Amino acid sequence: RGRLDDTYLAHFTQTAAMLARYYGDRIGHWELWNEPDFADSFLLAEDYARLLGTVSATLKARDGALQVVFGGLGGVDWPALNYLRQVLAALPAESTTFDIFALHPYPSQQFRRNGQIILVNPYLRAQAPTVLAPFMAALRAAGQGTADMGAEC
C-alpha cells in the first residue's frame, strides 16, 4: 500500500506473465490492479504508472492481441480525476500502455441533487455532459482518446 518497490514490481510482473502463459487465449483482458486510488489498495500515481507500463509491456510482448485494462478507479469524483491526470502525466506521451480505461462510478458526496446523495447510476447518462466527460477529456488530452471505457456499477 502506497509505495511500490522494485522487488514487489518484479514479483508482480513475473506472476502476471505466469498467469498470462497459463491462461493463454482463454483470457483476453487483464485489469492491472483494482482501484489504485482507493485507500485500501492505494498506490502513488507515479508508482501505478510504473506498474501499468512494466506489466503491460510484459503481457503485450507475450501476446500483442490481449487488452490491458487500467485498474478501475474508485469513483468518478474530483480525487479520482486528479489521480488519473497524475498517472497519465507519469506515462510516456501518446503511450499505448492500456487499451481500456475502467472506473467504478459509485455515488459520492459530490453527486447530490436537491441535497440528497444520488444512490443509483442514472446520473451517468441523465445529465449532460455526463460525469464521465472530464475523464474522457483527460484521456484525450494525454493522447489516450482511443482507449475504450469500462465501468463497474
Side-chain angles (χ1 to χ4, degrees), residues 61-121:
R62 187 201 168 283
D63 179 357
L66 67 76
Q67 302 278 290
V68 172
V69 182
F70 186 112
L73 296 182
V76 289
D77 50 15
W78 69 265
L81 179 59
N82 191 42
Y83 186 87
L84 170 62
R85 288 178 176 145
Q86 291 173 27
V87 171
L88 293 171
L91 292 173
E94 305 290 324
S95 164
T96 56
T97 304
F98 61 95
D99 305 291
I100 300 169
F101 172 70
L103 73 162
H104 304 157
Y106 304 125
S108 71
Q109 294 295 325
Q110 182 175 344
F111 302 107
R112 293 179 173 264
R113 187 172 291 136
N114 300 324
Q116 299 295 314
I117 296 175
I118 300 169
L119 296 177
V120 293
N121 70 358

Side-chain angles (χ1 to χ4, degrees), residues 19-30 62-63 65-66:
L19 290 169
R21 276 191 308 277
Y22 177 79
Y23 287 105
D25 62 2
R26 292 175 287 169
I27 296 179
H29 297 76
W30 291 90
R62 187 201 168 283
D63 179 357
L66 67 76

